[in-house]
Amino acid sequence: MNCSYEQCAPINEAQCWSNIDWKAAKRYVGSLQARIVKAVKQGRKGKVKSLQWLLTHSFYAKALAVKQVTENKGRKTSGVDGETWQSATKKWRAISSLKRSGYKASPLRRVFIPKSNGQKRPLGIPTMLDRGMQALYLLAVEPEVETNSDGNSFGFRKQRSCADAIEQCFKVLCRKRAGEWVLDADIKGCFDNISHEWMLKHLNIDKPILSQWLNAGFMESGKVYPTLAGTPQGGIISPTLMNMVLNQLQGTIEEASGVKRGKHREIRSNVKRVSVIRYADDFVVTAHSQAFLVDTILPCINEFMSQRGLALSPEKTHVRHISEGFDFLGQNLRKYNGKLLVKPSSKSVLHLMNKLRLTITKYRSSRQDRLIFQLNPILRGWCNYHRHSVAKEVFCKIDSDIWLLLWKWACRRHPRKGKYWIRARYFHLRNPLMILIKIIKLR
């Protein structure tokens, strides 16, 4: 059954939401997005805008936007208005509330989340209405962004991940004639410092709607503060806006290095060719010469960033030789006697062990099954992330450290019991000889 606003009476609103044909909705939105991609490739800007207008005003696109914001992880987190769309009736009514005319964005609810370095990152939580509008316009903007994105941009994009970025780094650096010098750069406060003026002037998106999101302000301790720069980090469309701002970075660096792109291949007009791999606001640039990176590429990057109100972080930007290695996305890439190996970085291992220690300490008085239930997702996620790297030694070391932590946890619970009794109660393995060997080593 295919419902629309006119066909549904108010008393049947919950039933109408349940009767939406989601397969038909995805087909309709997907066909419009494919037409947008085709128009972008043909350079028909007017056609792109008309198709985007048609998509943002369609019933199916609005329904998919509401479905997205009510089924993600933050669906139970409210904005400054305290409203959430949990019931089917509210979801159906939310579809009709996603209108361009009369829309005004509400201030963000400011919260702070901890960072790995001990500091706190500000996070802005929009209202459900603002999230729905962002999800709706993201459906229209994303096809154009994906078509015009840099080839080696991997962050916040569909069908791309951190593993793809690491694989590209490996392809670039593993060759014998690859660049031996690496610029590992990070943008300082990327989400918080992007110039509003530059975004409103250069981004191909509905300007009045974009202006509403950028100038909505945020609420903290009951007071509303203006936002003079940056895009809200908690918004659904914010990662896409950041990619739109940084999308020309690869082309700018390649142009500065003397690479001209032909129709079917690259024409290398300079021996000192560079390669760029970017994931969100972290990126890596490789070259054959340290002086070329410092004297030519780095000033080009600084000029590119300054135009957008951004700057590189001095603490996280380094130029290193590949034999020294560098950390990127939790992995360490380094050449050992000419052979490139990708291993889990020491910071990533340290972060994992600290998280495990805190979890075990928090559940020191809980049952064994509850502790296992808390530890398994952490270990499974970390190991799956690093399973493609050279991680055998690291996995063995972590396994040994975790066993010691759990052994201390078990001994603390039974200070008057012997080690063999504790082993028989808590540690059940198919090969108990290995446990006995470990216990003997502890003596």
Side-chain angles (χ1 to χ4, degrees):
M1 179 179 178
N2 184 13
C3 284
S4 62
Y5 303 119
E6 295 79 6
Q7 296 174 342
C8 189
I11 195 173
N12 296 322
E13 289 175 339
Q15 186 66 28
C16 280
W17 172 262
S18 302
N19 291 338
I20 295 177
D21 190 348
W22 295 111
K23 291 184 179 179
K26 292 179 180 179
R27 285 197 302 268
Y28 178 78
V29 173
S31 64
L32 282 179
Q33 290 178 332
R35 292 173 63 187
I36 292 173
V37 171
K38 184 177 180 180
V40 171
K41 290 181 178 180
Q42 294 175 349
R44 302 171 61 185
K45 296 182 180 180
K47 185 66 173 179
V48 172
K49 289 185 178 180
S50 63
L51 289 173
Q52 289 177 341
W53 187 95
L54 182 63
L55 193 149
T56 54
H57 288 74
S58 66
F59 169 80
Y60 277 145
K62 294 180 181 180
L64 287 176
V66 174
K67 182 179 176 65
Q68 178 183 352
V69 300
T70 55
E71 293 184 358
N72 57 17
K73 293 183 179 180
R75 62 186 180 275
K76 297 182 180 179
T77 305
S78 62
V80 293
D81 57 357
E83 183 180 355
T84 56
W85 297 338
Q86 296 295 318
S87 64
T89 302
K90 288 185 176 180
K91 294 177 184 178
W92 176 260
R93 294 177 180 176
I95 297 176
S96 59
S97 66
L98 301 182
K99 295 181 179 179
R100 183 181 185 277
S101 60
Y103 169 71
K104 185 177 181 180
S106 302
L108 306 171
R109 183 165 69 89
R110 173 67 64 90
V111 296
F112 294 90
I113 56 177
K115 297 172 64 175
S116 58
N117 57 4
Q119 300 179 355
K120 291 186 177 181
R121 175 188 292 115
L123 183 68
I125 302 177
T127 61
M128 295 299 295
L129 176 60
D130 294 336
R131 277 180 256 178
M133 290 292 291
Q134 291 184 16
L136 176 62
Y137 277 83
L138 180 60
L139 292 173
V141 173
E142 195 171 35
E144 182 181 4
V145 177
E146 287 294 320
T147 306
N148 294 329
S149 290
D150 293 340
N152 289 340
S153 171
F154 298 94
F156 303 115
R157 295 181 62 186
K158 290 185 177 180
Q159 307 300 325
R160 296 196 173 203
S161 63
C162 295
D164 297 319
I166 296 297
E167 180 185 7
Q168 183 63 26
C169 289
F170 183 85
K171 290 179 178 178
V172 169
L173 295 169
C174 69
R175 297 171 298 177
K176 292 183 178 180
R177 296 183 179 181
E180 298 180 347
W181 289 92
V182 180
L183 170 64
D184 178 20
D186 178 80
I187 303 174
K188 184 177 182 181
C190 182
F191 282 96
D192 300 328
N193 297 317
I194 302 176
S195 172
H196 286 180
E197 182 180 356
W198 191 94
M199 295 176 70
L200 292 171
K201 183 178 180 181
H202 293 88
L203 297 189
N204 188 16
I205 189 173
D206 195 329
K207 297 299 189 295
I209 298 295
L210 178 60
S211 178
Q212 287 283 338
W213 296 334
L214 297 179
N215 300 317
F218 63 92
M219 181 175 291
E220 184 179 358
S221 302
K223 296 182 180 180
V224 179
Y225 300 91
T227 50
L228 304 178
T231 176
Q233 197 163 346
I236 295 175
I237 203 172
S238 295
T240 303
L241 293 177
M242 183 202 64
N243 277 335
M244 295 173 73
V245 172
L246 299 178
N247 262 341
Q248 303 301 321
L249 178 62
Q250 181 177 345
T252 302
I253 294 176
E254 289 180 348
E255 183 179 355
S257 64
V259 176
K260 298 181 181 179
R261 290 189 175 272
K263 185 176 181 181
H264 302 288
R265 63 188 180 90
E266 293 181 356
I267 304 172
R268 302 182 185 181
S269 60
N270 193 321
V271 179
K272 302 174 182 178
R273 185 202 166 186
V274 301
S275 297
V276 186
I277 302 98
R278 181 173 67 86
Y279 189 93
D281 58 343
D282 297 335
F283 60 94
V284 170
V285 184
T286 66
H288 288 79
S289 169
Q290 180 184 15
F292 184 70
L293 279 176
V294 175
D295 300 335
T296 304
I297 301 301
L298 198 55
C300 173
I301 296 175
N302 289 330
E303 182 181 357
F304 178 89
M305 296 298 171
S306 62
Q307 294 174 358
R308 292 153 175 78
L310 301 173
L312 297 180
S313 174
E315 300 83 6
K316 300 181 180 179
T317 301
H318 308 281
V319 178
R320 295 190 177 96
H321 194 268
I322 189 60
S323 61
E324 301 176 13
F326 66 97
D327 293 343
F328 185 57
L329 301 179
Q331 307 277 15
N332 180 265
L333 294 90
R334 181 180 175 183
K335 273 191 175 181
Y336 300 84
N337 297 325
K339 184 176 182 179
L340 180 67
L341 297 181
V342 181
K343 300 181 179 181
S345 66
S346 57
K347 291 183 180 179
S348 180
V349 175
L350 181 61
H351 178 72
L352 172 68
M353 294 308 302
N354 289 337
K355 190 173 183 179
L356 293 174
R357 290 189 184 95
L358 291 175
T359 303
I360 294 174
T361 302
K362 182 180 179 180
Y363 290 87
R364 58 180 176 270
S365 301
S366 301
R367 299 197 312 267
Q368 183 182 12
D369 57 343
R370 291 193 62 187
L371 179 61
I372 293 174
F373 183 78
Q374 296 296 326
L375 293 179
N376 275 344
I378 301 174
L379 295 171
R380 188 185 303 115
W382 195 89
C383 292
N384 285 338
Y385 182 83
H386 293 280
R387 71 185 185 277
H388 299 298
S389 60
V390 184
K392 180 179 179 180
E393 294 182 1
V394 176
F395 281 3
C396 292
K397 180 65 168 59
I398 292 176
D399 178 68
S400 177
D401 293 342
I402 292 173
W403 191 90
L404 289 175
L405 291 173
L406 294 177
W407 180 257
K408 292 179 181 178
W409 173 86
C411 292
R412 179 188 176 277
R413 293 171 64 87
H414 305 280
R416 298 183 180 181
K417 297 291 184 179
K419 295 180 180 179
Y420 292 95
W421 184 93
I422 295 174
R423 189 268 304 171
R425 180 178 177 85
Y426 290 104
F427 297 92
H428 301 160
L429 291 180
R430 293 181 181 178
N431 186 10
L433 181 61
M434 299 303 298
I435 286 290
L436 293 177
I437 293 174
K438 289 184 177 182
I439 293 175
I440 294 172
K441 288 182 178 180
L442 290 175
R443 289 186 167 182

